[in-house]
Amino acid sequence: MHTLTVQTPSHPYPIFIGQNLLDEADTLLKPYLGKKAAIVTNETVAPLYLEKIQTALDKAGVEHFSIILPDGEEYKNWQTLNLIFDGLMQHRAERKTTLIALGGGVIGDMVGFAAATYQRGAPFIQVPTTLLSQVDSSVGGKTAINHPLGKNMIGAFYQPQAVLADLTTLQTLPPRELSAGMAEVIKYGTLGDIEFFEWLEQNMADLMAQDQYKLAQAVYHCCKMKADIVSQDETEQGIRAWLNLGHTFGHAIEAEMGYGVWLHGEAVAAGCVLAGRLSEELGKTTAADTARIAALLEAANLPSAPPKFAFDKWIAHMSHDKKVSSGVMRFIGLDCLGRANITEITDMDILRRTLQPYV
């Protein structure tokens, strides 16, 4: 097992990474639990792992109840969030009741937002069960729900008490979900670590075959990168924005196609290629750099091109992005492969050229 500590102004917290950690959850999580806990999961994850968490809480002497939600990005909304609040109220959850997010990024985001707002703040623990959530969304305290006009537009920065990433859960992931998570892994190398990017180029076949040793290396490396960035910039005032590489374009794809049609990781993958093309247009990177990003994504069975839709629709969606400042669109681009930057775009012709093949 590997343990990392995320240092934030809010509070420090551990990330536990390893095999079969759900079997040790009573010991690992007991210091971070109150006397009562609410396990929030979904219809897909519950049959696989809910009993393990229930058993762990029984061993730890913690009273508990469960809330089971529908599964899918399309349910990341106010209506589903209210199902969490309904369950908490029905079971007389108090401010010290610990919420446990058992599932992927959608569950983690919604449970975190519920915890941030229930009785003005309740503790919560992340137990991510997908690659995407283990390497990215469970760490750093960004919580949110979607709005029809924009993804993750309603939320809060709210840090968990602990993160428990059991790599064994990845063995039950459908191949498409594994690939979606690999998009975020590739993103880390692209934005901040050329040596890691090159390691991924050399090892992607083994990662996709779920080589447990190499998967553990990848998850640990991504979590360490994110922990280091979050410790410097908890509320995304500067360097943390780099972690949104590919996301402005990706969120536009998700909104246009309908949430859940393209998985988040698939949209981010295409968005990373578009970020490469934008950086080319700005004279920062080369077509060869963008081709390397695309080839690595394709090796992970991910799309390297977005769907086609009208330029005006691209702009409409991206104008709702959270990085828009004083009406100016900001994108995460690249100074070079392995180093990101924040770029303000006021010349729509640059974006038009970037998107030209896809409109």
Side-chain angles (χ1 to χ4, degrees):
M1 183 181 75
H2 299 287
T3 304
L4 290 166
T5 300
V6 184
Q7 298 283 354
T8 70
S10 304
H11 61 264
Y13 58 92
I15 309 170
F16 303 110
I17 303 167
Q19 304 287 337
N20 300 307
L21 296 189
L22 290 182
D23 296 331
E24 306 174 50
D26 56 316
T27 303
L28 293 172
L29 297 182
K30 188 167 184 177
Y32 311 99
L33 290 163
K35 294 181 179 179
K36 188 172 184 177
I39 310 166
V40 186
T41 187
N42 65 37
E43 298 164 338
T44 302
V45 175
L48 297 170
Y49 304 116
L50 177 57
E51 187 176 348
K52 283 182 177 287
I53 295 296
Q54 291 171 328
T55 299
L57 294 175
D58 288 338
K59 287 181 180 179
V62 175
E63 180 187 350
H64 58 86
F65 60 93
S66 302
I67 300 169
I68 300 176
L69 305 176
D71 183 19
E73 183 80 31
E74 64 269 33
Y75 297 107
K76 190 178 170 183
N77 54 32
W78 277 117
Q79 290 74 21
T80 309
L81 185 70
N82 268 325
L83 295 178
I84 301 177
F85 294 135
D86 290 346
L88 295 173
M89 297 286 284
Q90 289 162 6
H91 288 88
R92 299 184 183 279
E94 300 175 354
R95 182 176 289 175
K96 292 185 178 180
T97 298
T98 306
L99 279 63
I100 299 176
L102 175 64
V106 171
I107 286 290
D109 276 15
M110 286 200 298
V111 175
F113 188 31
T117 52
Y118 184 70
Q119 295 196 16
R120 300 187 178 89
F124 85 111
I125 292 170
Q126 291 271 17
V127 185
T129 61
T130 67
L131 181 59
L132 189 149
S133 58
Q134 288 182 3
V135 301
D136 195 67
S137 61
S138 68
V139 179
K142 284 175 73 171
T143 74
I145 58 172
N146 298 335
H147 185 278
L149 293 179
K151 184 178 171 72
N152 293 335
M153 292 299 289
I154 304 163
F157 287 98
Y158 193 69
Q159 303 295 340
Q161 301 300 305
V163 180
L164 189 152
D166 186 341
L167 303 179
T168 312
T169 61
L170 303 182
Q171 295 173 12
T172 57
L173 271 187
R176 187 182 174 197
E177 292 280 356
L178 182 69
S179 291
M182 203 58 70
E184 295 283 1
V185 174
I186 292 167
K187 176 199 77 175
Y188 279 99
T190 306
L191 70 87
D193 191 334
I194 188 60
E195 290 182 1
F196 184 52
F197 186 94
E198 291 167 348
W199 182 85
L200 291 173
E201 289 180 313
Q202 296 161 10
N203 292 281
M204 187 53 67
D206 289 339
L207 290 168
M208 295 307 295
Q210 292 219 39
D211 179 302
Q212 292 299 297
Y213 177 72
K214 290 181 179 178
L215 267 178
Q217 286 181 282
V219 172
Y220 177 84
H221 191 88
C222 294
C223 286
K224 188 175 188 310
M225 284 186 69
K226 185 158 190 181
D228 289 345
I229 290 171
V230 169
S231 67
Q232 296 175 61
D233 180 18
E234 182 178 11
T235 58
E236 202 172 290
Q237 303 303 306
I239 189 175
R240 184 170 179 174
W242 288 10
L243 296 169
N244 292 313
L245 179 71
H247 284 59
T248 300
F249 294 112
H251 289 171
I253 293 168
E254 289 182 87
E256 176 64 23
M257 303 306 290
Y259 294 122
V261 176
W262 276 55
L263 297 181
H264 176 65
E266 294 168 340
V268 167
C272 284
V273 175
L274 290 173
R277 286 181 54 84
L278 177 62
S279 300
E280 283 181 59
E281 288 293 334
L282 295 171
K284 300 284 189 177
T285 59
T286 67
D289 294 326
T290 305
R292 283 181 71 184
I293 298 169
L296 186 53
L297 292 166
E298 289 166 3
N301 301 319
L302 285 160
S304 58
K308 290 187 176 184
F309 50 92
F311 180 73
D312 288 349
K313 289 186 175 181
W314 280 102
I315 298 303
H317 291 307
M318 292 189 297
S319 66
H320 286 290
D321 187 80
K322 297 184 296 301
K323 291 182 294 302
V324 170
S325 178
S326 301
V328 177
M329 282 192 281
R330 297 192 304 163
F331 293 81
I332 309 306
L334 299 171
D335 282 329
C336 61
L337 192 54
R339 189 171 73 238
N341 62 33
I342 301 173
T343 301
E344 292 189 352
I345 300 293
T346 56
D347 184 350
M348 291 299 104
D349 285 341
I350 293 172
L351 287 177
R352 196 179 296 276
R353 291 194 299 271
T354 299
L355 292 164
Q356 191 276 327
Y358 313 113
V359 297

